[in-house]
Amino acid sequence: MPEIDWQEPFCGGDGGNACLQLGFTADGTPHLRETANPEEVITTTRDGLRHLVAAARRGDLPHIP
């Protein structure tokens, strides 16, 4: 796996049990992982990440509590 530059984790309000990290490879490919399971990495595209964030901001993800 290529080297990933992980950003500081984003943690929920439950005392740090729901932390996500966003990271990018040198070519700009975004990756997501939970700090509790750092070996499980989701890879997407910049457009895919952009669409996910936009959908979350609009409230288009009602199935995610």
Side-chain angles (χ1 to χ4, degrees), residues 17-62:
N17 292 322
C19 298
L20 291 175
Q21 280 186 293
L22 176 61
F24 295 91
T25 54
D27 69 356
T29 302
H31 302 270
L32 291 167
R33 71 180 179 183
E34 290 186 57
T35 55
N37 297 309
E39 67 282 349
E40 294 181 29
V41 177
I42 297 171
T43 302
T44 188
T45 63
R46 286 177 108 37
D47 281 341
L49 180 61
R50 191 175 297 116
H51 290 299
L52 176 64
V53 170
R57 286 181 177 163
R58 286 191 308 269
D60 291 347
L61 307 173

